[in-house]
Amino acid sequence: MKITEILERREYSVSFEVFPPKKDGNFDGVVRATEQIAELKPAYMSVTYGAGGGTGEYTMRIADQTEKKYGFPVLAHLTCVSSTKESLGEAIAELRRRGIGNILALRGDLTPELERTDRSLWAYSHATELIAELRSADPGLCIGGACYPETHPESPDQKEDIKHLKEKADAGCDFFTTQMFFDNSLFYNFMYKIREAGITVPVVPGIMPITNGNQVERAVKLSGSFMPQRFKSLVDAFGSDPEAMTQAGIAYATDQIIDLFANGIRHVHVYSMNKPAVAAGITGALSSIIGKKVK
Ligand code: FAD
């Protein structure tokens, strides 16, 4: 089933995300965490692609295995940064061979190593080129892309960023998932602006439950997200106590999700980061709201 069909049919649902191990990492441990999250019956799950493309094989294996075992769709991430035409063609062929029909098409994070390489040698500079390539390889694919309510950190301003987002939609992107944010008003504002710019595809807000103080620093540095005072106070109070921070982080994320649902947003993606307890906490807190009414 296509993710866009789920977004159309379900009334209030959440999806979860896992990331694959690094090459020499713990594959079985990630599979166990993925299965525990899958048992919670999310609307779909997504599997990230390692920065620089290092874990592509694991992404596809986890996506393929989970979809076959649990029957709900899995969204496999795919990045194009540093890919050659040939390596990307092989990745697309492998996704098709495995029957993966939902792909989140990204440029990819720029690792320090990638930053040092000569960009003029890259076959792809932006996600739009990957989206166009996927669309021409298979018109039936469901293709997602990333968007940034607080503007992508490399973008000179929001207007420019939204202009390029429109190009992604026009290249054949069926839906977008947002970068994390901790203040819903930034998301509502962004939605208004992209609709004004003529972007009509569904947008799924991405919510990150913060479970420890160090994670906040990393997450905020990567995404440039604004931290509202209410959120900062919570991290100051509980950030050094992992159990207390997990509870407080789940409560804050749940509060954000309920506000989104109450304001007409029906689907939320949760950056569950291979943590079944976090996924279970969110699912439990929303149990009388999500999963109802399939049209
Ligand atoms: P793009 O859409 O290419 O945008 C990158 C920048 O280029 C933006 O500033 C944009 O405005 C600008 N731009 C776009 N087109 C043009 C153009 N034609 N000319 C000039 N500028 C242009 N990273 C991973 O490595 N693996 C993952 O699995 C992964 N999953 C993610 C999931 C989500 C939901 C999100 C929000 C991010 C994810 N990322 C992942 C991080 C992502 O790869 C980075 O944020 C990356 O820096 C940008 O990726 P993009 O696809 O948005 O790039």
Side-chain angles (χ1 to χ4, degrees), residues 52-53 79-84 87 107 114 117 122-124:
T79 65
C80 61
V81 67
S82 79
S83 296
T84 59
S87 67
R107 183 195 68 185
L114 286 172
T117 61
W122 296 356
Y124 305 90

Side-chain angles (χ1 to χ4, degrees), residues 48-52 77 79 104-109 125-128 146-148 152 154-155 160-161 164 167-168 177-179 271:
T48 68
Y49 206 82
H77 294 203
T79 65
L104 193 75
L106 303 139
R107 183 195 68 185
D109 275 327
S125 303
H126 301 291
T128 309
C147 66
Y148 303 83
H152 185 268
E154 289 165 39
S155 217
E160 183 78 8
D161 207 24
H164 294 309
E167 290 162 4
K168 277 204 240 192
T177 305
T178 76
Q179 179 61 282
Y271 293 110

Side-chain angles (χ1 to χ4, degrees), residues 7 146-151 158 162 165 175-179 181 183-206 260 263-267:
L7 301 179
C147 66
Y148 303 83
E150 297 175 72
T151 307
Q158 192 175 47
I162 291 178
L165 192 65
F175 72 99
F176 291 111
T177 305
T178 76
Q179 179 61 282
F181 54 87
D183 179 344
N184 287 1
S185 63
L186 296 166
F187 171 75
Y188 298 134
N189 201 290
F190 171 72
M191 287 303 293
Y192 176 79
K193 289 183 180 161
I194 67 167
R195 295 304 186 219
E196 281 270 285
I199 298 170
T200 56
V201 297
V203 177
V204 179
L260 289 162
N263 282 284
I265 306 299
R266 295 187 1 251
H267 188 87

Side-chain angles (χ1 to χ4, degrees), residues 3 19-20 92 94 134 150 169 187-188 201 203 223 227 231 247 251 289 292:
I3 303 289
F19 58 86
I92 295 174
E94 181 62 12
L134 286 167
E150 297 175 72
F187 171 75
Y188 298 134
V201 297
V203 177
S223 65
M227 287 206 288
F231 182 72
Q247 272 188 349
I289 300 175
K292 278 188 180 171

Side-chain angles (χ1 to χ4, degrees), residues 32 43-44 56 89 99 106 108 110 115 117 146 153 183 220 229 233 249 283 295:
R32 266 196 306 280
Y44 64 88
L106 303 139
L110 297 180
E115 293 272 18
T117 61
D183 179 344
V220 169
Q229 188 52 49
S233 308
T283 306
K295 277 187 210 160

